[in-house]
Amino acid sequence: MRLAVLKERRAAEARVAATPETVKKLIALGLTVAVEAGAGDTAAIPDAEFAAAGAEIAPDAAAALAGAGIVFAVQLPLPEQLALVPRGALLVATVGALNDASIVPALAQQGIDAAAMELLPRITRAQSMDVLSSQANLSGYRAVIEAAAAFERGFAMMMTAAGTVPPARVFVLGAGVAGLQAIATARRLGAIVSATDVRAAAKEEIKSLGASFIGVEDEETAAAQTAGGYAKEMSEAYRQKQAELMASTVAKNDIIICTALVMGHKAPTLVNQAMVDSMRPGSIIVDLASDAGGNCVATVPGQLIVTPNGVKVLGWNNWPARIPVAASVLYAKNLLTFLTTFWDKDAKAPKLPEGDDIVKGVLLTRGGAVVHPQFVPSQAA
Ligand code: NAD
């Protein structure tokens, strides 16, 4: 069976869905691997390294996809590439199925069996194939590194003969995978770190990393986590209490790292204009939630802006793609693990059992039909 690895074409994308290391392992499964020319260029993997690992370098998407039974991609391929995917092929990618209602029916109509890796259940067995975790972890790290580079004061406290540079104060909004890595990274750089979250479990995790917890704790936060581990959308009354607490906290900090997301919804707005206005000139806001609408009202998706009071707001899209080499290595490994887990050694083909929790979580379409409970027309809300 042939597996195609496509060159990503969406804006701000720099990652690739395979590496020479994973190509070797895919070949060992019995696959032939075709990598579209230039697929690894932005992730520091030249075609020659893919070729040395045993991949065929295909001159374009059409050549890579011809006869493919499996397609690996980072994001959903553009319609013109999808049109080249053979009927019956398995597409494994971060599909963005919840972002656009037309995607899943279109995949079914084209006869593509699509596994949406962003819908993977957050269970222990799935951890090693969890693309959201591997990419969010790197985003959280990168957010702090970019904040440190943009911050024109010091991060760590430095006591010198010429005087003392105070430590930066960093406030992290949302303490999921990205937020916890942001806390750990900011602490390593010497900042004084605090963080907030609505899920009750996050408080201990924040404290265990040496940051202080700042948050509203009430009966709503006790039930703020869904069965899947995600945060719920909070009530208006909660949002008001949270905003009051945030208003006094934001003004005291130099750097705000925004990571709060609510699966399947627009990101919550946590930093309002008055809070931005209250920050000192030279302060930094990094909005990792910008792809989902942003946590800060001043965020301009895809841009770095400086507010009239001198606050830099980094609203870049696609944060994992800002650290593309490491992100590709982990993403490619996640996809390899997924395929290996569901690999029929005798048939040398993927086997996705209908009753498996991971398969039920990710598989959108099969044999031309929508199979995912969240998207089957009669069952979808
Ligand atoms: P996420 O990216 O969906 O959200 C980021 C954080 O924002 C979350 O911690 C969330 O609670 C927080 N948030 C949402 N609304 C907020 C608000 N109004 N104010 C403040 N914070 C807000 O989260 P994630 O990083 O994908 O993690 C989701 C869950 O999955 C967590 O419970 C995490 O522990 C769990 N998880 C489990 C596994 C596993 O067991 N395999 C792996 C990774 C993550």
Side-chain angles (χ1 to χ4, degrees):
M1 184 176 269
R2 180 178 170 92
L3 182 146
V5 179
L6 294 179
K7 181 174 167 61
E8 300 293 317
R9 285 180 168 74
R10 292 192 184 261
E13 190 51 81
R15 294 168 290 170
V16 59
T19 61
E21 187 201 338
T22 66
V23 164
K24 281 185 205 153
K25 295 197 166 124
L26 292 166
I27 292 170
L29 290 176
L31 286 158
T32 55
V33 177
V35 176
E36 186 180 348
D41 281 356
T42 48
I45 310 173
D47 289 346
E49 286 189 23
F50 279 121
E56 168 199 326
I57 306 301
D60 52 27
L65 289 167
I70 304 171
V71 181
F72 274 6
V74 178
Q75 296 198 48
L76 182 69
L78 295 175
E80 50 272 37
Q81 276 90 49
L82 278 180
L84 300 168
V85 175
R87 285 191 83 80
L90 171 68
L91 169 68
V92 187
T94 310
V95 173
L98 291 169
N99 303 342
D100 176 350
S102 68
I103 292 174
V104 182
L107 288 165
Q109 206 184 14
Q110 287 176 264
I112 299 169
D113 292 359
M117 294 304 281
E118 75 276 15
L119 299 178
L120 195 82
R122 309 310 274 280
I123 54 176
T124 310
R125 187 166 74 92
Q127 256 171 353
S128 53
M129 35 185 125
D130 187 342
V131 299
L132 287 187
S133 289
S134 73
Q135 306 301 290
N137 178 52
L138 290 169
S139 300
Y141 166 81
R142 182 74 190 185
V144 175
I145 298 301
E146 293 205 24
F151 189 51
E152 286 156 351
R153 299 191 172 98
F155 232 75
M157 183 162 89
M158 287 172 269
M159 294 168 87
T160 77
T164 299
V165 176
R169 292 188 169 268
V170 176
F171 184 33
V172 178
L173 312 184
V177 179
L180 292 174
Q181 181 57 260
I183 294 170
T185 305
R187 291 265 303 149
R188 272 184 233 127
L189 290 179
I192 297 174
V193 186
S194 56
T196 190
D197 203 298
V198 292
R199 292 179 299 105
K203 181 178 174 180
E204 285 314 311
E205 290 168 348
I206 290 168
K207 289 184 10 188
S208 73
L209 290 172
S212 43
F213 172 78
I214 296 173
V216 176
E217 291 176 271
D218 62 10
E219 57 294 339
E220 199 176 338
T221 46
Q225 184 163 320
T226 65
Y230 292 106
K232 293 181 185 164
E233 276 193 308
M234 305 305 277
S235 69
E236 186 50 39
Y238 179 91
R239 283 205 291 266
Q240 272 184 15
K241 280 194 267 181
Q242 189 186 30
E244 281 164 28
L245 183 61
M246 292 274 306
S248 56
T249 311
V250 167
K252 290 182 206 142
N253 278 276
D254 302 302
I255 293 167
I256 311 292
I257 309 278
C258 303
T259 79
L261 293 174
V262 178
M263 186 61 158
H265 296 267
K266 187 202 164 290
T269 304
L270 302 176
V271 181
N272 62 30
Q273 192 59 49
M275 295 177 201
V276 177
D277 293 344
S278 75
M279 295 184 83
R280 287 195 301 162
S283 300
I284 311 286
I285 298 173
V286 180
D287 202 339
L288 290 193
S290 67
D291 285 330
N295 291 150
C296 173
V297 285
T299 297
V300 180
Q303 288 183 34
L304 184 167
I305 60 134
V306 183
T307 65
N309 62 321
V311 176
K312 284 186 195 161
V313 185
L314 280 67
W316 304 126
N317 294 122
N318 196 352
W319 280 85
R322 299 183 68 77
I323 177 165
V325 179
S328 298
V329 168
L330 301 189
Y331 185 91
K333 198 75 193 296
N334 290 146
L335 261 50
L336 171 71
T337 306
F338 174 76
L339 193 65
T340 312
T341 304
F342 298 106
W343 189 250
D344 183 334
K345 286 191 184 119
D346 300 324
K348 291 197 174 15
K351 186 177 178 187
L352 299 166
E354 269 175 40
D356 185 280
D357 282 341
I358 295 174
V359 175
K360 280 195 279 185
V362 299
L363 201 65
L364 300 171
T365 51
R366 194 198 286 264
V370 177
V371 294
H372 196 289
Q374 265 176 281
F375 299 95
V376 171
S378 58
Q379 292 175 34

